[in-house]
């Protein structure tokens, strides 16, 4: 008998065991701690806390789950859906059941009348995930290459001479300008002032670092956000999360200098590898990353539909 019910904090240990079992088979790299899942239940977002994580039971055994992470946007509510089915319960249609229920929960729990964009991040190495999304009526919106580089290989210095100056990000001084730069480089991003400050503090606590570049007039022309990420049982690796250069400052070597600055920093703090991602059709970025020694590691897609 199947039953889907909301997750409570008491369920988190069992949920972590489920995610670990799926990771061992899929090598998907999803990694959560008790604190991560507790925060998902507590943080401020449009979907009520008791509707954010649901568990699927097959009899008395935990067989799957889904988690909804929602945010308000100018176009309505964007809902990201994460989840998995325990390897022992696959090929029984439970993934489709979870995805259908997740979309229903998103629609029912979001503010009344809100336009909802339902999104599912999918990694190619998770068996059947692309086909499942497509059979469930979702369409591929974006496709990414995930690249990785071993830091034990020498990282050359950046030879480009810049007129811009790279500095550590200061929320009080740089926050508004960084958000404006995000608007130009990553339209539709999720950062808001309070989220930006919180993410910066969390990144610094985990030895990450953010840089901003300003030209001689003081205009913020580029930025790079680098952090530390732990994947399943593997040791932590470096993550270059966002790297952006404003259109007027491109083709001057600023992106290369930001990239190499982040790479040297992540190598200096002892991380064995660095990863980053970009869309598969961003050939200029891919060329830069390959030149810097990165190699294609994984493929990922973002599926979505309007509810």
């Amino acid at each position: 008998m199947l039953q889907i019910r909301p997750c409570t904090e008491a369920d988190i240990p069992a949920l972590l065991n489920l995610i670990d079992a799926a990771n061992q088979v899929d090598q998907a790299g999803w990694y959560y701690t008790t604190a991560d899942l507790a925060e998902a239940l507590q943080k401020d977002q449009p979907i009520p806390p008791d509707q954010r994580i649901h568990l699927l039971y097959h009899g008395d055994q935990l067989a799957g789950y889904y988690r909804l992470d929602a945010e308000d946007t100018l176009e309505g509510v964007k809902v990201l859906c994460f989840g998995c089915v325990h390897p022992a319960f696959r090929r029984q249609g439970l993934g489709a059941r979870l995805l259908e229920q997740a979309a229903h929960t998103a629609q029912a729990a979001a503010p009344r009348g809100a336009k909802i964009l339902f999104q599912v991040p999918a990694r190619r190495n998770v068996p059947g995930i692309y086909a499942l999304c497509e059979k469930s009526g979702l369409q591929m919106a974006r496709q990414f290459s995930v690249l990785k580089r071993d830091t034990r290989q020498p990282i050359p210095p950046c030879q480009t001479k810049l007129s811009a100056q790279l500095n550590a990000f200061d929320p009080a001084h740089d926050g508004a300008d960084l958000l404006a730069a995000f608007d130009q480089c990553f339209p539709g991003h999720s950062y808001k002032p309070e989220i930006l400050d919180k993410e910066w503090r969390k990144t610094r606590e985990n030895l990450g670092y953010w840089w901003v570049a300003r030209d001689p007039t003081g205009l913020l022309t580029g930025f790079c956000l680098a952090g530390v990420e732990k994947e399943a049982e593997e040791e932590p690796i470096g993550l270059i999360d966002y790297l952006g250069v404003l259109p007027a400052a491109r083709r001057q070597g600023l992106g290369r200098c930001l990239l190499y600055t982040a790479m040297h920093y992540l190598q200096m703090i002892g991380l064995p590898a660095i990863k980053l991602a970009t869309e598969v059709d961003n050939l200029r970025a891919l060329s830069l990353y390959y030149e810097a020694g990165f190699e294609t590691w994984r493929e990922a897609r973002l599926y979505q539909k309007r509810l």
Side-chain angles (χ1 to χ4, degrees):
M1 179 179 177
L2 297 177
Q3 178 189 11
I4 297 178
R5 65 170 178 80
C7 175
T8 67
E9 290 198 28
D11 296 314
I12 287 178
L15 177 53
L16 289 172
N17 289 336
L18 164 67
I19 295 171
D20 182 59
N23 265 326
Q24 290 183 29
V25 172
D26 301 333
Q27 297 297 305
W30 304 123
Y31 177 78
Y32 301 107
T33 64
T34 300
D36 292 331
L37 294 175
E39 181 183 0
L41 291 171
Q42 296 166 2
K43 74 176 185 179
D44 184 30
Q45 61 157 292
I47 291 181
D50 63 349
Q51 296 298 308
R52 294 175 190 171
I53 304 178
H54 282 72
L55 308 179
L56 170 65
Y57 277 88
H58 189 287
D60 60 354
Q61 298 185 65
L62 182 57
Y65 89 103
Y66 64 84
R67 175 172 70 87
L68 303 178
D69 192 353
E71 64 171 333
D72 290 312
T73 70
L74 294 176
E75 292 78 27
V77 177
K78 182 172 71 176
V79 181
L80 276 171
C81 177
F82 304 88
C84 68
V85 174
H86 192 288
F89 293 96
R90 293 180 178 174
R91 301 184 184 277
Q92 301 178 38
L94 300 188
R97 174 76 178 271
L98 280 169
L99 199 51
E100 179 184 8
Q101 185 62 35
H104 175 75
T105 301
Q107 201 164 21
R112 180 174 295 181
K115 295 180 179 179
I116 302 169
L117 181 62
F118 183 74
Q119 298 183 319
V120 179
R123 293 187 177 182
R124 183 177 184 178
N125 47 313
V126 178
I129 185 64
Y130 290 176
L132 171 62
C133 289
E134 290 161 6
K135 288 179 181 178
S136 299
L138 286 90
Q139 296 183 331
M140 185 180 71
R142 302 173 72 183
Q143 187 170 5
F144 302 91
S145 285
V146 184
L147 300 95
K148 195 173 184 180
R149 189 195 197 281
D150 191 329
T151 59
R152 290 171 293 188
Q153 301 298 321
I155 300 175
C158 180
Q159 302 293 342
T160 306
K161 293 184 179 180
L162 294 177
S163 58
Q165 184 173 359
L166 272 58
N167 296 304
F169 171 74
D170 176 354
H173 180 252
D174 302 316
D177 289 343
L178 181 57
L179 286 173
F182 260 99
D183 289 339
Q184 292 194 53
C185 297
F186 299 101
H189 67 86
S190 60
Y191 280 126
K192 300 174 183 177
E194 63 277 10
I195 297 176
L196 190 73
D197 185 69
K198 182 178 179 180
E199 287 298 313
W200 173 75
R201 294 181 186 281
K202 184 177 179 180
T203 299
R204 292 298 295 134
E205 289 171 1
N206 292 317
L207 298 181
Y209 211 89
W210 293 8
W211 295 266
V212 293
R214 291 186 180 274
D215 69 12
T217 70
L219 178 67
L220 194 152
T221 53
F223 55 89
C224 183
L225 282 55
V228 180
E229 183 173 279
K230 191 175 189 305
E231 293 212 354
E233 297 303 317
E234 300 174 8
E235 57 186 332
I237 66 172
L239 170 66
I240 298 178
D241 201 7
Y242 284 101
L243 193 161
V245 176
L246 269 63
R250 291 174 185 169
R251 300 191 180 188
Q252 300 174 35
L254 178 54
R256 178 176 286 100
C257 281
L258 285 164
L259 173 65
Y260 278 73
T261 298
M263 290 169 62
H264 280 289
Y265 172 78
L266 295 169
Q267 182 187 53
M268 180 191 72
I269 63 174
L271 297 171
I274 305 168
K275 75 171 187 177
L276 49 76
T278 190
E279 296 197 49
V280 295
D281 58 356
N282 191 345
L283 301 183
R284 186 172 297 160
L286 285 170
S287 177
L288 171 62
Y289 299 148
Y290 290 142
E291 177 190 315
F294 286 87
E295 297 179 348
T296 300
W297 180 41
R298 288 175 174 163
E299 180 189 287
R301 294 180 180 178
L302 181 68
Y303 284 91
Q304 66 183 33
K305 68 177 178 180
R306 296 279 179 184
L307 300 181

